[in-house]
Amino acid sequence: MGYCPNTPDDIRDMLAAIGAASVEELFAPIPAELRAKSFNLPPGMSELELLRLMREKAASCGADITPFIGGGIYDHFIPAAVDHLASRAEFYTAYTPYQPECAQGTLQALYEYQTTICRLTGMEASNASLYDGGTAVAEAALMSLRITDRHKVILDGSVNPLHRGIVTGYLHGLSAQAVHVAPDGCASDLARLMSSIDDETAAVIVQSPNFFGSVQDFRELAQKAHDHEALLIVSCYPIAMGLVASPGEMGADIAVGEGQSLGNHLSFGGPYFGFIATRKRFIRNLPGRIVGETIDHQGRRGFVLTLQAREQHIKRHKATSNICSNQSLCALRGLIFCASLGRKGFEELAQLNYDKAQYAKSVLAAVRGVDLLNSGATFNEFTLVLPKDAAEVVQRLLDKGMAAGVPLGQYYPGMERALVVTVTEKRTKDEIDRLAALLEEVLWS
Amino acid sequence: MELIFEKSVSGRTGVRVPLSDVPKAASLPEAVRRQEPVRLPEVGELDLVRHYTNLSRRNFSVDTNFYPLGSCTMKYNTKVTENAGGLFASCHPMLALLPGGDSLVQGPLSIVYELERQLAEITGMEEVTTQPLAGAHGEMTGIMVIAAYHKARGDEKRKYVIVPDSSHGTNPASAAMAGYEIVTVPTAPYGDMDLDLFRQAMNDEVAAVMLTCPNTLGLFNPHIAEICAIAHQGGALTYYDGANLNAILGKVRPGDVGFDVIHVNLHKTFGTPHGGGGPGSGPIGVRGDLVRFLPTPRVVRRVDGSYAVEDHPEGIGRVSDFFGNFAIMARAYAYITMLGREGLIEVSEQAVLNANYIMARLKEEYELPFDQTCMHECVFSASRQVQNGVHAIDVAKYLIDRGFHPPTVYFPLNVKEAIMIEPTETESKQTMDAFIEVMLEAAQLAKEDPERLHEAPVTTPVGRLDETRAARMQQVCCE
């Protein structure tokens, strides 16, 4: 039942070798008064029954809804090779590569992953992955505290509110201060961000494209932060990196983000992966695993976990982070996704997202009473203002099979009529036109 | 092997990007536009598939090799649970957070809820949250819950967390991330945290004590209830690191013993794959009066039997974006459901039997610092072999040549030259016998031909790698 292969004969022989009369005798070190008071679980089932149950549950998972929602997680196409290669049991049933000679597959793949992340973000050193986008932003904030030995982080209000919640929680325990700067419409309030930076500031955290879909130039902000020896942390959406200026180009010191859109299924919230990359001079402050290149005694190239003196298994409470298991397999998917598309395909994919969103923007903003809130450039998301409560409109459109977007009221009090709409390459012109027609219908009939 | 970037040929394309059915838009303004395309490899699909297929063959894995990595519970990952976990691939988590959206995702919400109930029963805790994304993330979340508890009582003077010196490195690291200072208590000669030194370390500034049970030596600590009682008398809470839960399913429940907060590793005890270093999943469970501090949101069952997502306003906030590593949770839910009560009890019984069998067969040749019945793993020392210049690492590398993944070596830190073996319940006597033979062979070689062990491994694509060079060069991506 528990996939335990030993036969009664095996068990008898093993007990004889141990010198025990029964398996129960092996549990004798556990005092009777500590034994389980209850273990009330149903009997097991066969594979067939299990799959029947699981399929029943999977049938109720919103599969017939057309998603125009993002919020950091995106419905992108995944090339077939990603699933096939990541399903190799040699990858998914291995563990952290503690013994490099028999883990070169994982180690080389992670080295290639780190290279890919550096190239996407315009940075020089990446780790081997973090848990998700939100914890990646939080880890970047903690990293900035270590580098600057300061205790204040400025958090732009147009950063994903779910991520901001995680950052605030992480900082709270360390008695560090998070200063929140409200956005100006759909954009970061650059003037207020800049005037908030002082000599106590460890870092300013912004996002590109931001939660409203807007894309901004952060070069001046970077300069201002550097003038005060503070860092600029940019959270970015990796698919946008095919078209939008990278954190590196903007002058960021740390780039982070949610890696899900690179070849990881939606899967109701995970597993995904977070990425973090930085300038080479800050490499010793990175959290988590890092793979480095080296050679063996014959001069053959190989890969190992490196700079481990930063990590919890060596440094214990003085480690740069507590992270141990990360999201290796999800990072591998991200790598294979990027390599499948290649230099040209990745740019084309970003362009396609942009083109579709621009088309949707024009069609939806033309619906009677609907206005576009973003004043500047956007990538594949944008924010609409509706003539009615957006949460109500979204709920009515859900009944018609459309997830029209993420209503902003729950995250931004006062923005109850605002809606963030996401358009990936998977949405067709027909679906976009249909959303516009249904929106018109829900608003006006 | 070449890197994928070194196989790139300018102009070669891989997978085709979908065709566009909308007009091409005006380009992004110069100031926010990327200047150069991302330098990704340009390879055909066959090149790509061969590259990663051949890379995968440079790994040892559970499906190809016995993998007795102590403290990691590298059990077989059943294939039907893999299939079950993949059924939810297209479900967008944001749907659940939309107004009225929870009615569309009742299937996955029911799994979150039911898995939390299953884990609560298995561990003897009141409530569970699946939000933490790995074991260490669970530890940090658990300690944040403990901090919130003390704060709510106005008890703000507690600034220390006690850990034994044999604990996993994540324990002190997680407590430090949650803002605590660490007090380390040494191990007594009997193999557990020294009870007297622990008593001395306890005072009204201690917020929590973190323990693994069975401990990292694979031994069940008979004083565990007493430790919990001492901590509680001093106003501290007790944290159970569930890394070794595979030993005690159905036998002991941490909640019954007196633990207040626990985490479990779904990728260890509940059969989900380790992924080459993740994704894991580290749900935490708490006793009744700590439930209100759990992170937001919570999945609840309404009176009509439907499931809903609710804010948890008194909680510590959010520790991950949605409901945890859901596709991993779905696998664990399927595993628990398939094995059922008897199957889970059998898991622990066979895991403990297998570990004791290996211990019995190897203890003549390898030093066994704590010679007593072990639980799911046993810890040897290579101290006898050291007399011939052979270290734990040499034995480990020789095992690789003979087709076995090495045990954990040099952990726990309180055993010199530690060799920590955890066979798990899914290995057969015949597989273990083959492993034992090679371990005995290595002990023999240590006496007769230690050079053979120093040279190992010789069958792998690369030999022992120069880690000092890697740390010095800091070459972590290709130019």
Side-chain angles (χ1 to χ4, degrees):
Chain A
M1 228 187 308
Y3 291 80
C4 304
N6 289 322
T7 64
D9 283 352
D10 290 331
I11 293 170
R12 189 197 59 222
D13 292 351
M14 289 161 72
L15 285 170
I18 296 165
S22 67
V23 171
E24 190 48 43
E25 197 181 308
L26 302 175
F27 289 88
I30 305 177
E33 66 275 17
L34 299 187
R35 292 306 182 101
K37 295 196 169 77
S38 157
F39 200 64
N40 188 17
L41 296 167
M45 52 176 75
S46 74
E47 287 199 10
L48 179 66
E49 294 159 310
L50 176 70
L51 280 178
R52 207 172 272 152
L53 171 74
M54 295 302 285
R55 287 203 182 102
E56 202 178 293
K57 291 187 182 293
S60 172
C61 108
D64 47 356
I65 303 288
T66 308
F68 286 91
I69 44 176
I73 304 303
Y74 300 93
D75 180 29
H76 286 290
F77 167 69
I78 299 178
V82 176
D83 279 334
H84 279 269
L85 292 168
S87 301
R88 296 276 306 182
E90 295 92 330
F91 283 131
Y92 83 77
T93 73
Y95 199 21
T96 305
Y98 295 117
Q99 298 288 342
E101 300 88 350
C102 60
Q104 284 298 298
T106 294
L107 284 161
Q108 181 172 328
L110 289 174
Y111 183 82
E112 294 179 359
Y113 159 83
Q114 291 172 185
T115 302
T116 301
I117 292 299
C118 287
R119 292 182 177 190
L120 283 172
T121 57
M123 288 286 156
E124 293 155 357
S126 159
N127 84 352
S129 77
L130 292 171
Y131 301 136
D132 68 358
T135 58
V137 182
E139 286 279 10
L142 300 191
M143 186 174 156
S144 75
L145 303 182
R146 288 194 295 274
I147 291 172
T148 61
D149 201 19
R150 297 175 180 177
H151 297 282
K152 184 169 117 182
V153 172
I154 298 170
L155 199 46
D156 175 24
S158 65
V159 171
N160 186 327
L162 302 180
H163 295 182
R164 278 187 283 126
I166 296 168
V167 175
T168 311
Y170 270 60
L171 290 177
H172 177 75
L174 298 175
S175 311
Q177 187 192 0
V179 177
H180 296 264
V181 173
D184 175 16
C186 283
S188 305
D189 188 339
L190 292 175
R192 277 201 53 210
L193 283 171
M194 286 200 272
S195 65
S196 304
I197 302 173
D198 57 25
D199 291 343
E200 310 283 291
T201 307
V204 185
I205 306 179
V206 293
Q207 181 177 315
S208 175
N210 69 21
F211 196 67
F212 308 102
S214 288
V215 177
Q216 271 170 286
D217 183 1
F218 294 122
R219 287 176 181 88
E220 215 184 318
L221 181 64
Q223 189 54 55
K224 176 80 178 173
H226 295 156
D227 287 347
H228 288 272
E229 289 174 23
L231 307 183
L232 178 67
I233 298 169
V234 177
S235 173
C236 64
Y237 169 22
I239 298 290
M241 294 300 100
L243 206 60
V244 173
S246 68
E249 286 175 286
M250 301 270 201
D253 303 283
I254 306 173
V256 291
E258 169 56 66
Q260 172 273 332
S261 57
L262 304 175
N264 282 272
H265 292 290
L266 295 167
S267 295
F268 199 58
Y272 309 144
F273 70 94
F275 57 87
I276 187 166
T278 189
R279 305 289 179 191
K280 192 114 187 211
R281 65 179 178 279
F282 299 134
I283 190 170
R284 287 182 185 279
N285 284 290
L286 276 172
R289 314 282 189 205
I290 301 175
V291 175
E293 184 186 315
T294 187
I295 52 173
D296 71 0
H297 58 287
Q298 293 181 39
R300 291 176 295 193
R301 178 172 65 184
F303 301 92
V304 292
L305 293 176
T306 194
L307 299 172
Q308 295 191 68
R310 300 165 298 107
E311 290 190 64
Q312 47 76 27
H313 59 290
I314 313 265
K315 272 281 172 65
R316 299 175 71 82
H317 65 282
K318 291 188 175 136
T320 55
S321 168
N322 65 336
I323 191 167
C324 180
S325 275
N326 47 42
Q327 307 284 122
S328 225
L329 193 70
C330 305
L332 174 75
R333 296 182 66 96
L335 165 67
I336 298 172
F337 176 88
C338 290
S340 296
L341 284 159
R343 179 186 169 107
K344 185 155 167 282
F346 199 82
E347 188 179 25
E348 286 173 2
L349 180 71
Q351 182 72 46
L352 186 55
N353 274 262
Y354 178 66
D355 290 345
K356 294 227 177 189
Q358 290 299 101
Y359 173 74
K361 207 194 249 185
S362 66
V363 175
L364 293 170
V367 172
R368 192 155 36 116
V370 175
D371 286 317
L372 180 69
L373 200 60
N374 312 77
S375 50
T378 59
F379 174 60
N380 74 351
E381 286 181 289
F382 50 86
T383 304
L384 300 174
V385 183
L386 310 181
K388 290 183 178 168
D389 182 87
E392 253 170 60
V393 173
V394 165
Q395 192 157 1
R396 289 187 59 196
L397 284 167
L398 273 181
D399 294 339
K400 298 177 185 296
M402 283 282 176
V406 176
L408 285 181
Q410 69 183 111
Y411 306 112
Y412 295 93
M415 293 188 83
E416 280 71 21
R417 290 191 294 120
L419 179 70
V420 180
V421 180
T422 305
V423 189
T424 70
E425 76 287 348
K426 282 179 77 173
R427 300 286 73 79
T428 63
K429 180 173 176 298
D430 285 350
E431 287 170 343
I432 296 167
D433 292 341
R434 193 155 163 268
L435 175 62
L438 287 171
L439 181 61
E440 168 93 31
E441 186 185 313
V442 164
L443 288 176
W444 301 108
S445 62
Chain B
M1 212 172 124
E2 283 181 303
L3 298 169
I4 190 78
F5 299 95
E6 293 162 349
K7 292 176 175 169
S8 179
V9 174
S10 179
R12 186 165 286 162
T13 55
V15 69
R16 268 171 96 180
V17 172
L19 296 174
S20 183
D21 55 1
V22 296
K24 190 163 165 52
S27 55
L28 271 177
E30 182 72 16
V32 294
R33 206 167 70 218
R34 190 179 182 102
Q35 295 306 304
E36 294 281 333
V38 186
R39 286 189 303 136
L40 295 176
E42 296 172 272
V43 294
E45 182 163 315
L46 175 57
D47 295 334
L48 175 101
V49 168
R50 278 206 187 121
H51 179 76
Y52 290 106
T53 303
N54 286 324
L55 260 193
S56 79
R57 295 168 67 191
R58 298 185 154 214
N59 268 4
F60 278 21
S61 65
V62 173
D63 281 10
T64 54
N65 308 78
F66 180 39
Y67 211 124
L69 196 64
S71 203
C72 296
T73 314
M74 299 299 288
K75 63 173 73 177
Y76 170 63
N77 309 126
T78 57
K79 299 310 163 196
V80 67
T81 50
E82 284 301 295
N83 287 359
L87 293 172
F88 305 87
S90 63
C91 187
H92 200 302
M94 205 40 125
L95 269 182
L97 304 187
L98 294 182
D102 45 15
S103 66
L104 300 169
V105 289
Q106 287 292 298
L109 287 179
S110 75
I111 290 176
V112 175
Y113 181 86
E114 287 177 31
L115 175 63
E116 290 183 352
R117 294 317 312 153
Q118 287 172 337
L119 295 174
E121 176 63 19
I122 289 168
T123 58
M125 306 309 287
E126 183 73 22
E127 294 271 356
V128 169
T129 174
T130 57
Q131 237 188 81
L133 300 171
H137 199 217
E139 292 171 17
M140 194 187 79
T141 306
I143 297 295
M144 286 163 79
V145 165
I146 290 172
Y149 163 84
H150 289 305
K151 192 176 173 197
R153 291 161 52 92
D155 189 355
E156 310 233 13
K157 64 184 176 299
R158 297 181 185 268
K159 57 184 181 191
Y160 299 107
V161 167
I162 294 180
V163 299
D165 62 352
S166 63
S167 73
H168 297 109
T170 50
N171 290 178
S174 300
M177 294 252 311
Y180 285 103
E181 292 174 45
I182 308 304
V183 176
T184 305
V185 176
T187 303
Y190 50 84
D192 280 311
M193 180 168 77
D194 191 304
L195 209 52
D196 290 332
L197 293 177
F198 170 62
R199 264 198 205 94
Q200 289 166 28
M202 258 312 296
N203 59 47
D204 64 0
E205 290 188 318
V206 174
V209 52
M210 301 179 82
L211 290 172
T212 307
C213 180
N215 66 19
T216 51
L217 295 164
L219 306 176
F220 192 88
N221 182 345
H223 305 297
I224 199 78
E226 197 179 344
I227 291 172
C228 289
I230 294 167
H232 289 152
Q233 278 156 22
L237 298 190
T238 49
Y239 184 94
Y240 176 87
D241 174 335
N244 295 342
L245 189 67
N246 209 49
I248 55 170
L249 295 170
K251 302 291 181 188
V252 178
R253 303 192 312 163
D256 296 341
V257 173
F259 283 99
D260 305 310
V261 183
I262 61 140
H263 84 264
V264 299
N265 301 81
L266 300 187
H267 52 292
K268 292 181 179 176
T269 314
F270 298 105
T272 73
H274 285 67
S281 176
I284 68 163
V286 297
R287 74 178 196 202
D289 60 338
L290 300 177
V291 171
R292 65 191 176 112
F293 302 114
L294 287 176
T296 194
R298 301 279 301 143
V299 175
V300 298
R301 184 154 65 185
R302 297 194 193 97
V303 280
D304 65 359
S306 66
Y307 299 90
V309 180
E310 280 186 359
D311 273 343
H312 200 56
E314 281 188 79
I316 56 166
R318 199 178 276 277
V319 297
S320 66
D321 291 354
F322 297 100
F323 309 99
N325 276 338
F326 179 80
I328 302 300
M329 291 147 51
R331 285 168 170 83
Y333 169 77
Y335 177 84
I336 294 167
T337 305
M338 175 169 68
L339 264 59
R341 182 180 187 279
E342 304 310 319
L344 290 174
I345 292 171
E346 186 191 18
V347 162
S348 287
E349 290 183 345
Q350 294 295 312
V352 170
L353 174 66
N354 280 358
N356 276 285
Y357 178 64
I358 288 182
M359 187 173 81
R361 294 281 317 271
L362 290 180
K363 70 180 178 185
E364 286 208 0
E365 288 296 332
Y366 290 90
E367 181 68 24
L368 184 64
F370 300 97
D371 188 1
Q372 48 189 286
T373 302
C374 68
M375 301 302 288
H376 65 304
E377 61 193 358
C378 52
V379 180
F380 290 97
S381 164
S383 56
R384 288 184 214 165
Q385 287 69 31
V386 169
Q387 293 161 16
N388 292 309
V390 168
H391 294 265
I393 193 75
D394 302 314
V395 175
K397 300 302 185 194
Y398 181 72
L399 283 166
I400 296 175
D401 273 341
R402 302 300 309 271
F404 294 101
H405 193 284
T408 295
V409 288
Y410 302 107
F411 183 84
L413 305 175
N414 54 346
V415 172
K416 284 208 174 75
E417 295 284 334
I419 299 177
M420 183 194 219
I421 304 172
E422 180 180 10
T424 85
E425 74 281 3
T426 56
E427 297 297 336
S428 68
K429 176 175 180 292
Q430 289 68 32
T431 300
M432 291 187 293
D433 283 341
F435 169 78
I436 288 162
E437 284 313 308
V438 174
M439 282 293 288
L440 296 175
E441 199 176 287
Q444 201 61 28
L445 281 172
K447 295 174 200 160
E448 294 164 2
D449 189 5
E451 216 30 48
R452 277 279 301 282
L453 300 178
H454 292 144
E455 283 163 7
V458 296
T459 57
T460 44
V462 289
R464 291 194 203 185
L465 290 155
D466 185 344
E467 297 190 6
T468 313
R469 180 191 163 96
R472 198 179 62 240
M473 303 279 287
Q474 299 185 4
Q475 184 74 40
V476 301
C477 69
C478 65
E479 296 306 318

